[in-house]
Amino acid sequence: MRQLRWQNGVAITVFVLPSQHPLHQRFSKEKLGIFPYQLDSIWQKLSFSGLGAPPIVVQTPQDLLEAVRTTPGAIGYAADGTSKGVKVDVN
């Protein structure tokens, strides 16, 4: 959350779903190991302190994928098998 640019210098743009969306809740808990309200708090602290930029909230998983696909340097998340046309890095 504190990294503002990729190694190639392109700005990172983070896209997320609303905190109450089931996919966002699952991603926060399973992949990040925190509750969505904790993630929101971290984003708020970083953005208010000037150390980070808040994510851009989109309303649907399809909107999230489209935003990541069309925005240079973008990052987001998707349900398994739904990321057609989007580069996926699985850890």
Side-chain angles (χ1 to χ4, degrees), residues 3-13 72-75:
Q3 184 175 340
L4 300 176
R5 298 195 171 275
W6 295 110
Q7 287 182 338
N8 64 2
V10 174
I12 297 171
T13 303
I75 189 169

Side-chain angles (χ1 to χ4, degrees), residues 14-72:
V14 180
F15 290 95
V16 298
L17 293 168
S19 294
Q20 68 276 13
H21 194 284
L23 181 57
H24 180 79
Q25 292 180 1
R26 192 172 119 216
F27 175 77
S28 295
K29 292 175 188 175
E30 292 178 11
K31 300 299 180 185
L32 301 178
I34 59 176
F35 290 100
Y37 75 88
Q38 292 172 302
L39 182 59
D40 290 344
S41 178
I42 292 167
W43 280 117
Q44 288 174 0
K45 286 178 187 176
L46 288 173
S47 63
F48 290 140
S49 68
L51 298 174
I56 298 170
V57 178
V58 295
Q59 295 306 305
T60 69
Q62 295 79 14
D63 291 344
L64 193 148
L65 288 172
E66 182 65 15
V68 170
R69 188 179 68 74
T70 60
T71 305

